[in-house]
Amino acid sequence: MQAGLHNGLRSGSLRGLAFKAARCKHTAVSAAKSSVIRDIHDKITSKECTAVEVTQRYLDAISKTDPKICSFITVDADQALSQARAIDAQIATQGTEGIKVLSGVPLAIKDNICTQGTRTTAGSQILRDYVPTFDATAVSRLRAAGAVFLGKTNMDEFGMGSSTENSSYKATRNPWDPDRVPGGSSGGSAAAVAARECAAALGSDTGGSIRQPAHFCGIVGLKPTYGRVSRYGLISYASSLDVIGPMAHTVEDAALLLNAIAGADAHDATSSGQPTVDFAAGLLPAASLQGGSRPLAGRRIGLVVETLGEGVAPEIDAAIRAAAEHLESLGAVVEEVSMLTFSLGLPAYYVLALSEASSNLSRYDGVRYGVRTAGAADLPSMFCGSRGEGLGGEVKRRILMGTYALSAGYYDAYYKRAQQVRTLAQREMNFALASFDALLTPTAPSPAYR
């Protein structure tokens, strides 16, 4: 699993919840807790706050902040408050014994993850009126855990982009500097977490779409291993690469979300049958990382040399090397490792992802669901009109490139060769991980750009 660069575990950046109600005063999350989710849970179960009060504070934050940041495509205040009232009613009638750690915690969901009864557009005009009749498995598991859903976050159309400027609705801005992008395609989720418009969020990652916006917005982003989280209900971009994952303030919060959504699913044949574990149980307390302790003694970490140096911003290079020094101070052995296939990952990704997108997006033709052009004289005109009206420029370019890579005469030269390169990269990665406990790289070569 890969985590984005973050500053969420520094106690100075953990601001907790800016509650102003008399019964729900702001208390910064302590370095010992390192969890916004647990802080909310403790406030609700101790009856310092009600779930409705927690939810209303986040809805107020969205009303105040989102006109400038544009994190959300859809905000469903009625649903969120209804879910929160159900949690409060459960506490009033049954006590707090059965209240789960996510009960009453307000979350945001990326708009390519299906939510029953709430519009889900994937950032595209072709799905602007689509309201799913079912929940994605990740959403249904969060719903069963008592989470509150504030709404659906903005994204690059069908996940195709890395700045959330390719949404067909609006461009999301970085909360730390609105003149800069939040990254993408999960930029809406990242910005919502960073702006304290939600306690945590779900994103999806095909080629960095959780990790890169987490880096740009200074939060924690985790791409789980493929198959660890069911893809059922995730609107497809590239099926062999798509993964749902958590975006949160801290590592512990990401682990708590992953606990809820991970596991095998009969609806997804590619989901892993391996048993899940408590991902939060093995986390070291923040106190053990201070005062000269060496909790990482015996661990070996590889610093991938191909990801540093030329083409990487000096401040990013310096931050990674400083992180390596910090890991050494905690007892780890950090050594440079060369991975010659690393630079081949990006071109192979584009061939594979765009080829799969060409196939997956063929379903948006105006016949079954989505936008249908009016007044078409025949089927070809309807197909062309519907796709021309409903799909944006970046999506059209990627479909055309993917179709070309799959076409007769080019399949072996592009798609088949990209599959072979992926296999080589997997082998080299596994070879490196046989010698190291973890590999350390930048998430992106630069900070957030304008």
Side-chain angles (χ1 to χ4, degrees), residues 247-268:
M247 307 184 78
H249 290 287
T250 74
V251 169
E252 185 172 5
D253 287 338
L256 293 171
L257 274 183
L258 187 59
N259 281 346
I261 64 176
D265 178 22
H267 294 298
D268 178 7

Side-chain angles (χ1 to χ4, degrees), residues 8-332:
L9 285 181
R10 294 183 297 180
S11 59
S13 70
L14 296 175
R15 301 175 186 172
L17 306 172
F19 296 145
K20 298 179 181 178
R23 296 180 58 226
C24 203
K25 294 180 180 178
H26 162 66
T27 302
V29 180
S30 70
K33 287 184 178 179
S34 297
S35 173
V36 171
I37 290 174
R38 289 198 190 279
D39 193 51
I40 293 173
H41 174 78
D42 292 345
K43 283 180 166 62
I44 291 175
T45 54
S46 68
K47 300 184 179 180
E48 181 180 342
C49 306
T50 65
V52 168
E53 287 174 333
V54 173
T55 300
Q56 189 61 59
R57 292 295 174 261
Y58 277 109
L59 290 171
D60 291 345
I62 293 171
S63 297
K64 180 179 179 181
T65 305
D66 212 58
K68 184 176 183 180
I69 303 301
C70 300
S71 299
F72 285 85
I73 292 178
T74 302
V75 177
D76 194 340
D78 291 341
Q79 175 191 227
L81 290 170
S82 176
Q83 290 174 312
R85 283 192 288 269
I87 297 297
D88 289 335
Q90 180 182 351
I91 292 174
T93 58
Q94 303 174 24
T96 61
E97 185 174 343
I99 298 300
K100 300 176 182 178
V101 70
L102 289 175
S103 293
V105 175
L107 304 178
I109 309 295
K110 187 177 178 180
D111 205 32
N112 62 346
I113 303 173
C114 289
T115 42
Q116 183 176 6
T118 301
R119 186 174 67 138
T120 301
T121 72
S124 179
Q125 288 296 327
I126 207 163
L127 289 175
R128 60 181 176 238
D129 299 319
Y130 175 55
V131 179
T133 58
F134 69 102
D135 280 331
T137 296
V139 170
S140 66
R141 289 175 175 175
L142 289 174
R143 201 185 291 276
V148 170
F149 301 140
L150 298 170
K152 308 302 287 293
T153 54
N154 197 24
M155 57 179 287
D156 290 301
E157 187 177 6
F158 285 104
M160 298 182 186
S162 51
S163 65
T164 315
E165 295 172 295
N166 290 323
S167 168
S168 67
Y169 296 93
K170 51 191 171 183
T172 299
R173 296 179 175 271
N174 194 310
W176 298 103
D177 180 356
D179 289 334
R180 298 182 184 273
V181 302
S185 64
S186 304
S189 289
V193 173
R196 271 91 179 154
E197 295 178 335
C198 59
L202 288 188
S204 69
D205 194 310
T206 305
S209 290
I210 286 175
R211 293 160 288 170
Q212 184 249 24
H215 161 63
F216 277 9
C217 290
I219 65 168
V220 176
L222 178 70
K223 179 183 182 179
T225 304
Y226 184 85
R228 181 75 290 178
V229 178
S230 171
R231 291 185 299 109
Y232 179 71
L234 173 65
I235 295 175
S236 298
Y237 166 16
S239 301
S240 73
L241 297 165
D242 295 339
V243 174
I244 295 173
M247 307 184 78
H249 290 287
T250 74
V251 169
E252 185 172 5
D253 287 338
L256 293 171
L257 274 183
L258 187 59
N259 281 346
I261 64 176
D265 178 22
H267 294 298
D268 178 7
T270 66
S271 65
S272 173
Q274 293 187 17
T276 59
V277 299
D278 185 344
F279 297 102
L283 296 177
L284 297 172
S288 71
L289 305 179
Q290 303 169 1
S293 63
R294 296 173 62 83
L296 299 184
R299 299 293 186 181
R300 299 185 73 243
I301 296 174
L303 182 61
V304 182
V305 296
E306 283 79 9
T307 65
L308 298 171
E310 185 178 358
V312 178
E315 58 268 41
I316 299 296
D317 190 290
I320 291 296
R321 296 187 187 278
E325 291 179 4
H326 180 62
L327 293 169
E328 287 180 321
S329 75
L330 297 175

